Amino acid sequence: LHPDDEPRVMASLLAVAAGDRGEHWVEEYRYRRGVGSYATLSDRGRVVRDAAGRVVRMVGAIRDVGRERETLTALRESETRFRLAVDAFDGTVWEQDPATFHTTHSIPSTPLLGFTPEQMKDPKGWWMANVDPADKPRLYAERDAAIARGDERSTHRYRFRRADGTWATVEDRLRYLYHDGRCVKIVGYLRDVSAELAAADAVARSVQRYRMATEAVEGMVWEHDYETGEVTRARPALPVFGYTADDLEDTTDWWRARVHPDDLGAVVEG
């Protein structure tokens, strides 16, 4: 018995024996293990008395609650880390039992697709009500095929109705967990990728417009990086100065070799 706990524990035992605290005794204290470290024990007992009211014995049970508390503390810390991680995501993490379709998901701290946490309380109903009906058959087929192949992961994109009625493109990244060859759980991360796709489309359109403009120019469009010395030339659709796209080289030496010697010095100096 830990020296710091002994006075309190013994006092409570004597109080129960004297009848001052009823017939039941409950205490927690530290008890030295065989290896020298201390365990936290929960000790519960009941006093048994004879006809004269004298204590004849005490029946009780002791259990180690220290490890339970360590486990609970670790669990709470893990849940806190999970919540912080989920809050950092612009989406929701969900999991589903594929046998029963029972689904749970994290409620983001900020509205997802315009939905409030209250509107997302029923994850399965929320998803079923807002996924594009035209995408459902494809999504089910893709998921079933991934499970049939034993895939560990799959990614799916589909249309999802926002709270304001407009449509977003979402991405669902799925992780499949198996036991004895059977999928027992699906964990997913759903997020809105509409802005990303719009930005990528804008870049692609800009590149296309640039290419079309350079092909329409009766000349040569070029770019020179002074830090790296790298030269980039747009490849024209038609020959320029008698040179085809295959003749061009992205080097300053190629250009220097074709400038008239009488002009080269002034051009380079300029």
Side-chain angles (χ1 to χ4, degrees):
L1 185 62
H2 194 287
D4 293 344
D5 297 336
E6 184 177 354
R8 171 179 54 83
V9 173
M10 297 307 298
S12 66
L13 272 172
L14 293 174
V16 170
D20 298 335
R21 294 179 54 179
E23 302 300 306
H24 296 276
W25 175 74
V26 179
E27 281 291 346
E28 286 190 4
Y29 52 84
R30 289 162 290 179
Y31 198 84
R32 188 169 57 242
R33 299 187 179 98
V35 294
S37 60
Y38 280 91
T40 300
L41 305 182
S42 174
D43 205 346
R44 296 170 178 265
R46 184 179 184 280
V47 173
V48 178
R49 304 178 186 274
D50 61 14
R54 294 188 299 269
V55 176
V56 293
R57 66 178 181 275
M58 192 172 189
V59 180
I62 302 175
R63 63 190 182 97
D64 186 345
V65 296
R67 288 190 173 86
E68 293 179 16
R69 290 178 178 174
E70 291 173 1
T71 300
L72 290 174
T73 299
L75 179 60
R76 284 194 292 267
E77 291 175 352
S78 178
E79 290 176 345
T80 299
R81 288 193 297 269
F82 175 76
R83 170 54 58 187
L84 291 172
V86 168
D87 286 347
F89 293 153
D90 186 18
T92 180
V93 178
W94 58 270
E95 65 178 62
Q96 183 183 84
D97 182 339
T100 64
F101 292 100
H102 176 70
T103 306
T104 59
H105 68 182
S106 64
I107 303 296
S109 57
T110 56
L112 174 64
L113 299 166
F115 292 97
T116 64
E118 184 68 25
Q119 292 172 307
M120 296 175 62
K121 277 190 173 181
D122 174 16
K124 182 181 176 182
W126 172 74
W127 188 88
M128 292 291 290
N130 294 291
V131 65
D132 189 338
D135 286 335
K136 283 183 183 179
R138 172 180 61 83
L139 294 172
Y140 289 140
E142 290 175 352
R143 187 198 66 176
D144 292 344
I147 294 174
R149 291 191 301 267
D151 293 348
E152 293 187 354
R153 292 178 173 82
S154 64
T155 300
H156 313 270
R157 285 182 177 174
Y158 51 92
R159 283 160 48 87
F160 198 90
R161 185 169 42 238
R162 298 185 179 95
D164 62 6
T166 60
W167 291 93
T169 300
V170 299
E171 181 180 80
D172 227 345
R173 296 188 177 187
L174 277 54
R175 175 75 164 86
Y176 304 97
L177 304 178
Y178 298 88
H179 179 69
D180 291 337
R182 183 173 62 89
C183 182
V184 295
K185 182 180 291 188
I186 304 174
V187 180
Y189 169 42
L190 184 149
R191 67 190 185 98
D192 184 356
V193 295
S194 303
E196 294 178 21
L197 296 178
D201 182 64
V203 170
R205 290 175 180 272
S206 177
V207 171
Q208 180 64 20
R209 287 195 298 269
Y210 172 75
R211 180 169 296 282
M212 294 175 64
T214 57
E215 290 178 352
V217 171
E218 293 184 1
M220 187 182 299
V221 179
W222 56 271
E223 180 182 337
H224 182 199
D225 189 323
Y226 279 87
E227 291 186 359
T228 65
E230 181 180 357
V231 177
T232 303
R233 294 183 177 86
R235 266 47 181 174
L238 299 174
V240 178
F241 313 129
Y243 298 106
T244 66
D246 293 337
D247 296 326
L248 302 181
E249 297 178 10
D250 290 335
T251 65
T252 55
D253 291 340
W254 184 90
W255 171 77
R256 285 172 176 268
R258 286 158 179 79
V259 178
H260 194 285
D262 294 343
D263 297 334
L264 182 61
V267 172
V268 172
E269 183 178 351

